[in-house]
Amino acid sequence: MATGEPLIVLDSVNKWFGPLHVLDDVSLSVGRGEVVVVIGPSGSGKSTLCRTINRLEPINSGTITFDGQALPAEGKALAKLRSEVGMVFQSFNLFAHKTILENVTLGPVKVRKEKPAVARERGLALLDRVGIANQADKYPAQLSGGQQQRAAIARALAMQPKAMLFDEPTSALDPEMVGEVLDVMTSLARDGMTMVVVTHEMGFARHAANRVIFMADGQLVEDAPPTEFFANPRSERARDFLSKILTH
Amino acid sequence: MNVLIDKFDVFAGGFWLTLQICLLAAIGALILGAVVAVLRISPVPPLRAVGTGYVNIFRNLPLTVVMFFAAFGLPALGSNADFLRIPGLDLIFSRLGTDLPYFRFALIALVLYTAAFVCEALRSGVNAVPAGQAEAARSLGLTFGQNLRYVVLPQSWKASVVPLGSVIIAMIKNSALVGFFGVVGDLSQTADQLTSAEGHAFVPVAIGISIGYLIMTVPLGALLDHIEKRQAVAR
């Protein structure tokens, strides 16, 4: 594991939605244990970028490699790869007909074929870690947004993934609940989880990221450590973006 | 109106035969329709094409034409639909096992036709489940089959059950056609028999068979209303 080989590598990735070039020759590599925050204006392709890594969005050209292996096409091999990449969505997407604990244990039991008792024990420990152990037997609709998103993080962690993808995890939350979700993410980052985080939370980017990626119009415009990026953005586009969001 | 009392056994016999064909056709159509629905939402394009082709053909042909193909096409192909002579099942549904194949032909036509509508009712339920549910399941590594079984279908059922019921009610009414394709003694053919052959007045006979159909369809409709109300409360 301690090799210098990166965990996630995107090489010249292109993707179109009809005539719209959403990913324009994007190359990026993410090392093991690295936390990469992707920022940029709406429609810049940052969510799409995040979703290509576990092939929720197929790409038109280029290659994506995860843990030394090219992303498989549809089928069992792809399912196996996805089980090793945790994903957290903007709209939580907890299974509405299952309790929080059932949400967390479904993957381990059905995908990993773990014994239900083992999965349950780890599931409860994870719910405890994200601070909602007392909600284990409730249904998603009975929880606040912040609690639901923390449950979704626990669900992804239950698969013991090699990396975690976060697609705007706090964008659908009430402001007072953003903090509790970011706290969980920060603690994950500190524990050495490899993370790709699409977000508008500049505070999180500043203190938790190893690198900040700035995207605009489908292109990867800047790739720099957060201190450098926020102090001296090199591109006009990034300066313009930062001036708009940091003035308030 | 004496015909309703005098010929009660004939009406009852017609009712029983229509009920038999409807029970069998409903089971067959639900199974085949579920298979076609899985094909239509499969991630494999050729399978999707097969499912879509099936629905496009059988949803868009008149049932009468499908019946014609079953009643005249199958014999031309040398088939008596003998695979439907299912041992055991033909003890209850005796027409399955008769040498005269028209009950089996009509059953095949009704199943093929109704399955297209069952497929669409099931699919509308699947489409009512937010896309994020299936995406979350996929991102956990669940396969297509596991995704359907553990995540999508349990949630789609609620949205499917009322349209499915309407499809089955329509099927019960459509079964009135089978009498014109060689099936002797179902409810509608009973009417033909009593009026044309035995000279009974048409209106009382029509009232008699209407009651027969309503006994099957009205409780089903009431059940659907009940389910719908319960869902409205749960929401």
Side-chain angles (χ1 to χ4, degrees):
Chain A
M1 285 298 274
T3 57
E5 185 192 305
L7 185 60
I8 303 168
V9 181
L10 284 77
D11 188 22
S12 313
V13 169
N14 280 286
K15 179 172 179 69
W16 283 267
F17 283 133
L20 187 66
H21 203 171
V22 273
L23 292 179
D24 184 355
D25 205 31
V26 172
S27 296
L28 168 71
S29 79
V30 180
R32 290 168 203 275
E34 214 176 3
V35 176
V36 173
V37 167
V38 186
I39 63 174
S42 302
S44 60
K46 51 194 195 311
S47 275
T48 308
L49 174 77
C50 185
R51 291 162 56 86
T52 59
I53 296 172
N54 65 355
R55 213 175 185 280
L56 281 182
E57 298 286 358
I59 56 176
N60 296 110
S61 72
T63 55
I64 300 178
T65 315
F66 184 82
D67 203 11
Q69 192 198 350
L71 278 201
E74 288 293 337
K76 287 237 155 59
L78 179 61
K80 183 170 183 303
L81 176 129
R82 283 174 174 155
S83 73
E84 293 172 352
V85 185
M87 179 135 194
V88 176
F89 300 87
Q90 179 175 352
S91 48
F92 328 136
N93 295 350
L94 290 172
F95 305 130
H97 62 306
K98 292 187 176 294
T99 65
I100 298 304
L101 185 59
E102 286 167 351
N103 264 276
V104 175
T105 56
L106 182 72
V109 172
K110 298 304 176 191
V111 177
R112 291 277 158 74
K113 313 293 181 201
E114 286 179 26
K115 286 203 178 71
V118 176
R120 188 187 151 81
E121 200 169 314
R122 198 172 67 248
L124 284 169
L126 282 167
L127 289 178
D128 190 44
R129 176 176 174 183
V130 300
I132 50 169
N134 54 344
Q135 313 288 334
D137 295 321
K138 290 191 183 165
Y139 286 88
Q142 296 171 286
L143 270 59
S144 72
Q147 290 171 327
Q148 287 192 50
Q149 193 60 300
R150 286 184 281 156
I153 293 172
R155 174 175 69 179
L157 290 175
M159 299 300 286
Q160 299 171 308
K162 293 175 181 164
M164 290 278 284
L165 309 174
F166 293 84
D167 185 5
E168 302 206 26
T170 57
S171 299
L173 295 175
D174 288 341
E176 57 180 338
M177 292 167 182
V178 170
E180 64 196 47
V181 171
L182 291 180
D183 285 345
V184 170
M185 290 167 60
T186 306
S187 98
L188 264 182
R190 219 180 296 132
D191 291 351
M193 175 61 79
T194 308
M195 293 163 64
V196 175
V197 183
V198 176
T199 188
H200 294 293
E201 298 297 331
M202 296 304 141
F204 179 80
R206 270 181 210 277
H207 74 251
N210 299 109
R211 278 157 62 203
V212 173
I213 305 283
F214 177 74
M215 286 189 73
D217 304 322
Q219 290 173 331
L220 201 157
V221 179
E222 291 203 35
D223 180 346
T227 44
E228 192 183 315
F229 176 77
F230 287 109
N232 297 305
R234 286 186 303 258
S235 66
E236 183 56 39
R237 194 76 185 77
R239 273 196 295 275
D240 180 53
F241 178 75
L242 287 177
S243 74
K244 277 176 186 151
I245 58 165
L246 295 179
T247 47
H248 297 289
Chain B
M1 295 294 271
N2 280 343
V3 64
L4 292 184
I5 297 153
D6 296 344
K7 296 288 179 181
F8 179 77
D9 56 330
V10 180
F11 285 110
F15 176 84
W16 171 227
L17 191 68
T18 290
L19 187 63
Q20 283 185 47
I21 199 162
C22 288
L23 276 175
L24 291 169
I27 293 166
L30 286 172
I31 293 169
L32 181 61
V35 171
V36 178
V38 170
L39 291 179
R40 273 206 89 176
I41 58 177
S42 143
V44 187
L47 296 182
R48 274 208 303 275
V50 170
T52 307
Y54 181 94
V55 170
N56 278 338
I57 291 171
F58 286 101
R59 190 173 59 172
N60 296 327
L61 279 177
L63 176 58
T64 317
V65 174
V66 181
M67 288 265 177
F68 267 118
F69 272 112
F72 298 107
L74 286 174
L77 292 170
S79 170
N80 254 346
D82 287 327
F83 66 93
L84 283 174
R85 296 187 176 199
I86 302 160
L89 209 58
D90 59 4
L91 294 178
I92 311 164
F93 304 99
S94 54
R95 292 283 182 100
L96 277 180
T98 55
D99 287 335
L100 214 59
Y102 292 108
F103 181 86
R104 296 193 292 274
F105 289 160
L107 181 60
I108 287 171
L110 210 49
V111 166
L112 288 176
Y113 178 82
T114 309
F117 294 89
V118 167
C119 164
E120 293 304 278
L122 290 173
R123 221 166 53 88
S124 75
V126 167
N127 288 338
V129 178
Q133 296 283 307
E135 266 185 4
R138 278 192 283 157
S139 77
L140 282 178
L142 270 71
T143 59
F144 173 71
Q146 289 176 323
N147 194 340
L148 276 185
R149 183 165 159 207
Y150 300 117
V151 176
V152 176
L153 289 182
Q155 298 186 72
S156 74
W157 181 243
K158 267 189 187 170
S160 290
V161 67
V162 172
L164 264 185
S166 301
V167 167
I168 299 303
I169 288 175
M171 189 205 72
I172 293 171
K173 299 188 292 176
N174 287 339
S175 77
L177 264 183
V178 304
F180 302 98
F181 289 88
V183 178
V184 177
D186 85 309
L187 258 181
S188 58
Q189 200 272 331
T190 296
D192 194 38
Q193 173 68 23
L194 289 174
T195 53
S196 307
E198 298 183 20
H200 291 283
F202 181 78
V203 170
V205 171
I207 289 171
I209 64 162
S210 299
I211 292 170
Y213 282 110
L214 290 174
I215 288 172
M216 284 181 266
T217 51
V218 168
L220 196 50
L223 178 69
L224 293 178
D225 285 348
H226 177 71
I227 292 170
E228 207 173 6
K229 276 205 195 90
R230 229 183 34 190
Q231 281 180 4
V233 172
R235 205 179 296 132

